[in-house]
mmCIF file with all atom_site columns, all heavy atoms in Angstrom:
data_model
loop_
_atom_site.group_PDB
_atom_site.id
_atom_site.type_symbol
_atom_site.label_atom_id
_atom_site.label_alt_id
_atom_site.label_comp_id
_atom_site.label_asym_id
_atom_site.label_entity_id
_atom_site.label_seq_id
_atom_site.pdbx_PDB_ins_code
_atom_site.Cartn_x
_atom_site.Cartn_y
_atom_site.Cartn_z
_atom_site.occupancy
_atom_site.B_iso_or_equiv
_atom_site.pdbx_formal_charge
_atom_site.auth_seq_id
_atom_site.auth_comp_id
_atom_site.auth_asym_id
_atom_site.auth_atom_id
_atom_site.pdbx_PDB_model_num
ATOM 1  N N   . GLU C 1 100 ? -60.647 -30.855 -2.274  1.00 98.00 ? 100 GLU C N   1
ATOM 2  C CA  . GLU C 1 100 ? -59.806 -31.703 -1.423  1.00 98.00 ? 100 GLU C CA  1
ATOM 3  C C   . GLU C 1 100 ? -59.116 -32.669 -2.379  1.00 98.00 ? 100 GLU C C   1
ATOM 4  O O   . GLU C 1 100 ? -59.740 -33.572 -2.935  1.00 98.00 ? 100 GLU C O   1
ATOM 5  C CB  . GLU C 1 100 ? -60.687 -32.436 -0.413  1.00 98.00 ? 100 GLU C CB  1
ATOM 6  C CG  . GLU C 1 100 ? -59.922 -33.097 0.721   1.00 98.00 ? 100 GLU C CG  1
ATOM 7  C CD  . GLU C 1 100 ? -59.214 -32.103 1.647   1.00 98.00 ? 100 GLU C CD  1
ATOM 8  O OE1 . GLU C 1 100 ? -58.124 -31.639 1.249   1.00 98.00 ? 100 GLU C OE1 1
ATOM 9  O OE2 . GLU C 1 100 ? -59.735 -31.796 2.737   1.00 98.00 ? 100 GLU C OE2 1
ATOM 10 N N   . ASP C 1 101 ? -57.824 -32.453 -2.588  1.00 98.00 ? 101 ASP C N   1
ATOM 11 C CA  . ASP C 1 101 ? -57.107 -33.210 -3.613  1.00 98.00 ? 101 ASP C CA  1
ATOM 12 C C   . ASP C 1 101 ? -56.648 -34.579 -3.136  1.00 98.00 ? 101 ASP C C   1
ATOM 13 O O   . ASP C 1 101 ? -56.111 -34.713 -2.030  1.00 98.00 ? 101 ASP C O   1
ATOM 14 C CB  . ASP C 1 101 ? -55.863 -32.414 -4.059  1.00 98.00 ? 101 ASP C CB  1
ATOM 15 C CG  . ASP C 1 101 ? -56.200 -31.377 -5.103  1.00 98.00 ? 101 ASP C CG  1
ATOM 16 O OD1 . ASP C 1 101 ? -56.535 -31.783 -6.227  1.00 98.00 ? 101 ASP C OD1 1
ATOM 17 O OD2 . ASP C 1 101 ? -56.152 -30.164 -4.793  1.00 98.00 ? 101 ASP C OD2 1
ATOM 18 N N   . TYR C 1 102 ? -56.864 -35.539 -4.005  1.00 98.00 ? 102 TYR C N   1
ATOM 19 C CA  . TYR C 1 102 ? -56.311 -36.875 -3.821  1.00 98.00 ? 102 TYR C CA  1
ATOM 20 C C   . TYR C 1 102 ? -55.663 -37.285 -5.142  1.00 98.00 ? 102 TYR C C   1
ATOM 21 O O   . TYR C 1 102 ? -55.787 -36.583 -6.145  1.00 98.00 ? 102 TYR C O   1
ATOM 22 C CB  . TYR C 1 102 ? -57.411 -37.874 -3.435  1.00 98.00 ? 102 TYR C CB  1
ATOM 23 C CG  . TYR C 1 102 ? -57.889 -37.718 -2.008  1.00 98.00 ? 102 TYR C CG  1
ATOM 24 C CD1 . TYR C 1 102 ? -58.994 -36.911 -1.713  1.00 98.00 ? 102 TYR C CD1 1
ATOM 25 C CD2 . TYR C 1 102 ? -57.246 -38.358 -0.973  1.00 98.00 ? 102 TYR C CD2 1
ATOM 26 C CE1 . TYR C 1 102 ? -59.435 -36.756 -0.399  1.00 98.00 ? 102 TYR C CE1 1
ATOM 27 C CE2 . TYR C 1 102 ? -57.670 -38.213 0.342   1.00 98.00 ? 102 TYR C CE2 1
ATOM 28 C CZ  . TYR C 1 102 ? -58.766 -37.411 0.623   1.00 98.00 ? 102 TYR C CZ  1
ATOM 29 O OH  . TYR C 1 102 ? -59.182 -37.263 1.910   1.00 98.00 ? 102 TYR C OH  1
ATOM 30 N N   . SER C 1 103 ? -55.014 -38.430 -5.153  1.00 98.00 ? 103 SER C N   1
ATOM 31 C CA  . SER C 1 103 ? -54.501 -38.956 -6.418  1.00 98.00 ? 103 SER C CA  1
ATOM 32 C C   . SER C 1 103 ? -55.537 -39.910 -7.010  1.00 98.00 ? 103 SER C C   1
ATOM 33 O O   . SER C 1 103 ? -56.512 -40.277 -6.354  1.00 98.00 ? 103 SER C O   1
ATOM 34 C CB  . SER C 1 103 ? -53.186 -39.692 -6.183  1.00 98.00 ? 103 SER C CB  1
ATOM 35 O OG  . SER C 1 103 ? -53.449 -40.902 -5.513  1.00 98.00 ? 103 SER C OG  1
ATOM 36 N N   . ASN C 1 104 ? -55.280 -40.357 -8.227  1.00 97.00 ? 104 ASN C N   1
ATOM 37 C CA  . ASN C 1 104 ? -56.219 -41.279 -8.885  1.00 97.00 ? 104 ASN C CA  1
ATOM 38 C C   . ASN C 1 104 ? -56.224 -42.669 -8.278  1.00 97.00 ? 104 ASN C C   1
ATOM 39 O O   . ASN C 1 104 ? -57.167 -43.433 -8.486  1.00 97.00 ? 104 ASN C O   1
ATOM 40 C CB  . ASN C 1 104 ? -55.889 -41.388 -10.380 1.00 97.00 ? 104 ASN C CB  1
ATOM 41 C CG  . ASN C 1 104 ? -56.548 -40.304 -11.182 1.00 97.00 ? 104 ASN C CG  1
ATOM 42 O OD1 . ASN C 1 104 ? -57.369 -39.551 -10.661 1.00 97.00 ? 104 ASN C OD1 1
ATOM 43 N ND2 . ASN C 1 104 ? -56.184 -40.201 -12.459 1.00 97.00 ? 104 ASN C ND2 1
ATOM 44 N N   . GLY C 1 105 ? -55.178 -43.023 -7.563  1.00 98.00 ? 105 GLY C N   1
ATOM 45 C CA  . GLY C 1 105 ? -55.191 -44.301 -6.864  1.00 98.00 ? 105 GLY C CA  1
ATOM 46 C C   . GLY C 1 105 ? -55.806 -44.178 -5.483  1.00 98.00 ? 105 GLY C C   1
ATOM 47 O O   . GLY C 1 105 ? -56.398 -45.123 -4.963  1.00 98.00 ? 105 GLY C O   1
ATOM 48 N N   . ALA C 1 106 ? -55.685 -43.007 -4.890  1.00 98.00 ? 106 ALA C N   1
ATOM 49 C CA  . ALA C 1 106 ? -56.165 -42.818 -3.518  1.00 98.00 ? 106 ALA C CA  1
ATOM 50 C C   . ALA C 1 106 ? -57.688 -42.879 -3.443  1.00 98.00 ? 106 ALA C C   1
ATOM 51 O O   . ALA C 1 106 ? -58.248 -43.483 -2.517  1.00 98.00 ? 106 ALA C O   1
ATOM 52 C CB  . ALA C 1 106 ? -55.673 -41.478 -2.977  1.00 98.00 ? 106 ALA C CB  1
ATOM 53 N N   . ILE C 1 107 ? -58.355 -42.285 -4.430  1.00 98.00 ? 107 ILE C N   1
ATOM 54 C CA  . ILE C 1 107 ? -59.828 -42.261 -4.359  1.00 98.00 ? 107 ILE C CA  1
ATOM 55 C C   . ILE C 1 107 ? -60.401 -43.685 -4.418  1.00 98.00 ? 107 ILE C C   1
ATOM 56 O O   . ILE C 1 107 ? -61.211 -44.054 -3.559  1.00 98.00 ? 107 ILE C O   1
ATOM 57 C CB  . ILE C 1 107 ? -60.419 -41.357 -5.461  1.00 98.00 ? 107 ILE C CB  1
ATOM 58 C CG1 . ILE C 1 107 ? -59.931 -39.914 -5.266  1.00 98.00 ? 107 ILE C CG1 1
ATOM 59 C CG2 . ILE C 1 107 ? -61.939 -41.484 -5.508  1.00 98.00 ? 107 ILE C CG2 1
ATOM 60 C CD1 . ILE C 1 107 ? -60.911 -38.932 -4.700  1.00 98.00 ? 107 ILE C CD1 1
ATOM 61 N N   . PRO C 1 108 ? -60.002 -44.516 -5.378  1.00 98.00 ? 108 PRO C N   1
ATOM 62 C CA  . PRO C 1 108 ? -60.570 -45.876 -5.365  1.00 98.00 ? 108 PRO C CA  1
ATOM 63 C C   . PRO C 1 108 ? -60.172 -46.691 -4.134  1.00 98.00 ? 108 PRO C C   1
ATOM 64 O O   . PRO C 1 108 ? -60.946 -47.530 -3.679  1.00 98.00 ? 108 PRO C O   1
ATOM 65 C CB  . PRO C 1 108 ? -60.046 -46.523 -6.652  1.00 98.00 ? 108 PRO C CB  1
ATOM 66 C CG  . PRO C 1 108 ? -58.982 -45.629 -7.175  1.00 98.00 ? 108 PRO C CG  1
ATOM 67 C CD  . PRO C 1 108 ? -59.227 -44.272 -6.618  1.00 98.00 ? 108 PRO C CD  1
#
Side-chain angles (χ1 to χ4, degrees):
Chain C
E100 193 66 280
D101 277 291
Y102 286 93
S103 72
N104 274 352
I107 298 255

